[in-house]
Amino acid sequence: MYQYDNYDQTLVNERAAQFRGQTERFLKGELSEDQYRPLRLMNGLYIQKHAPMLRIAIPYGLLSSRQLRMLAHIARTYDKGYGHFTTRQNIQFNWPKLEDVPDVLSELATVQMHAIQTSGNCIRNVTSDHLAGVGGDELEDPRPYCEIIRQWSTLHPEFSFLPRKFKIAVNGAAKDRAATQLHDIGLQLVKNDRDEIGFEVLVGGGLGRTPIIGVTIRPFLEKKHLLSYLEAILRVYNRFGRRDNKFKARIKILVKELGKEKFTEMVEAEWAAIKDDLLLDLEEIERIKTFFQPPPYVTLADNPLLAEKTAHDSQFAAWFRHNTFPHKMPGYRVVFVSLKTPGKPPGDLSASQMDVIADLADHYSFGEIRVTHTQNLVLADVKQADLHDLWQRLKSLELATPNIGTATDIICCPGLDFCSLANATSIPIANGIQQIFDNLDYLYDLGDIRINVSGCMNGCGHHTVGHIGILGVDKKGEEWYQITLGGSSGKDASLGERLGPSVAKDQVCHAIEAIFQTYREHRLEDEAFLETVRRIGMRPFQGRVYGDN
């Protein structure tokens, strides 16, 4: 993984010291709340429902074991003993004291971490495929380009105060595991007819109260023009994006209002004026690539004992089938650490669990951990011979629930339990849905179903692109939930369609159970299934009626 040089380290050290001074001045009353607010937001600090919330950047979802131990230390020392991994591949702490945040940032800097640009109207943390470098469907590892974009965008003077927040994702695989079509800019590595690798550039995706799928504005961009083209897009947005209405300030609204053709024309004109002065040196690309070379794999064959162990241990077999994935190297396997234990908030991890996972990463996976945008962790390079031992260790931590890609692998925002923006709770809804599936065979019969839960229209739980999406809404002080079907964040990206009126809080889980029951009965393709559910509506199930308001 990338290692800071003197410039990187100096930047994060000085930024932490700068924020310490700003916070001290605020606490002394020398800065007003209005003056302090943009300063804290640019350092990842929100004021939430109960306490400040600090969001820490995990660039493209990659952590070292040393960094994870530091996060465990911060959780234990400055918070309530846990952290929450988000759909941006970041981690959030929900309970730090305001006066302690400068100390947190200083300690993060010692392990090459920070909270710079994890909030505010700037370019946020660049995200990517959690299987980068190990997936068999990969054209090229996207992480070097994520790192190049991180360096270019960090404290970029022209883009520090954009009309609204801005998010970029880079994917290098045939399967889109980075949700590139749902970002302000999505970059997909592709090969042209001359066998050259470059980028397909998508613009204008985003979720929230106006969900939109991004559009391709350039089918192929040479690598040397990556930064100049990004700069051209952002210049057009910075100049013409709306600042009078925050609900219409995202680039997706600008693209929609101008139209794809006009927006592309404006970007191409801006790019023509700057592209020769901002070329990405191919030698620099190769230099950054050296930080992402494969670890020292040993030559192995596929382990013949796996079949015997899975045949004689049904629990291990279920975990192996659902929580491990093929690796491009023979004899290795990718292991998902499920942060979706029944009864626990999705994405949460305790300090003690972080410490043990760091140890497991050192012992089994070359000291690296990955964060997925589905709020799980990955140990990407595990020898097949070590899988059973690793499973036992994870099982003892309650981190081996065999549910990756199933209906209980739920994406969920913190909701009304923590967030001051939320209209409704989301964690209790996720926990209630998990409890439906006491019979795991029934769960597996459903296949690959993604359930996403958000507590408000901001959509941090990505409800609009869930196969089943659940959105909390407020109705005269009561919590109700809208349900959508048919969304996707992959190559076939689509927005879910609303399924009738909203449902009362105490009926949500019953309604989801009714949907599953219908799905089991019909087992149709997604589009036909959606039509079937539309036709029958939120029908009575086990004597209860849903959606009758």
Side-chain angles (χ1 to χ4, degrees), residues 438-457:
D438 291 335
N439 181 347
L440 288 183
D441 289 336
Y442 172 64
L443 170 67
Y444 298 147
D445 285 345
L446 296 171
D448 182 6
I449 292 182
R450 171 65 56 197
I451 302 176
N452 297 359
V453 187
S454 294
C456 76
M457 288 295 295

Side-chain angles (χ1 to χ4, degrees), residues 275-431:
K275 66 178 183 178
D276 293 333
D277 297 322
L278 187 58
L279 293 174
L280 178 55
D281 191 334
L282 298 183
E283 291 184 4
E284 177 63 8
I285 294 176
E286 294 304 314
R287 186 185 75 84
I288 297 296
K289 281 184 177 182
T290 62
F291 292 101
F292 300 93
Q293 294 301 308
Y297 296 120
V298 295
T299 302
L300 296 170
D302 287 338
N303 192 311
L305 297 179
L306 270 178
E308 179 180 343
K309 289 183 177 179
T310 54
H312 289 87
D313 190 331
S314 60
Q315 291 185 358
F316 174 67
W319 177 82
F320 176 82
R321 184 167 61 252
H322 294 282
N323 289 31
T324 77
F325 286 76
H327 195 291
K328 68 179 183 181
M329 293 294 295
Y332 287 84
R333 198 82 177 169
V334 177
V335 171
F336 280 71
V337 180
S338 175
L339 304 189
K340 310 297 174 59
T341 304
K344 302 289 180 65
D348 278 11
L349 199 64
S350 72
S352 59
Q353 289 173 322
M354 292 183 204
D355 279 330
V356 177
I357 290 174
D359 292 341
L360 296 178
D362 283 337
H363 189 74
Y364 294 109
S365 193
F366 300 102
E368 289 186 356
I369 306 99
R370 302 165 184 227
V371 184
T372 78
H373 86 273
T374 55
Q375 298 178 289
N376 293 303
L377 301 182
V378 170
L379 300 176
D381 301 294
V382 180
K383 294 177 182 176
Q384 293 178 9
D386 292 333
L387 287 173
H388 193 268
D389 290 342
L390 176 58
W391 167 68
Q392 291 179 316
R393 296 288 302 277
L394 291 173
K395 186 179 177 183
S396 70
L397 294 171
E398 296 186 311
L399 296 174
T401 305
N403 63 350
I404 299 300
T406 72
T408 63
D409 184 11
I410 299 171
I411 292 176
C412 180
C413 75
L416 197 59
D417 287 328
F418 296 99
C419 182
S420 58
L421 300 177
N423 297 316
T425 54
S426 51
I427 295 172
I429 298 299
N431 289 340

Side-chain angles (χ1 to χ4, degrees), residues 209 449 454 464 483 531 542:
R209 65 181 59 241
I449 292 182
S454 294
T464 47
I483 298 175
E531 290 300 322
Q542 294 184 355

Side-chain angles (χ1 to χ4, degrees), residues 469-496:
I470 302 172
L471 167 65
V473 296
D474 175 80
K475 286 191 175 185
K476 298 180 181 180
E478 295 183 353
E479 298 175 47
W480 290 73
Y481 295 83
Q482 294 174 354
I483 298 175
T484 55
L485 294 179
S488 171
S489 61
K491 282 281 189 181
D492 59 344
S494 60
L495 304 176

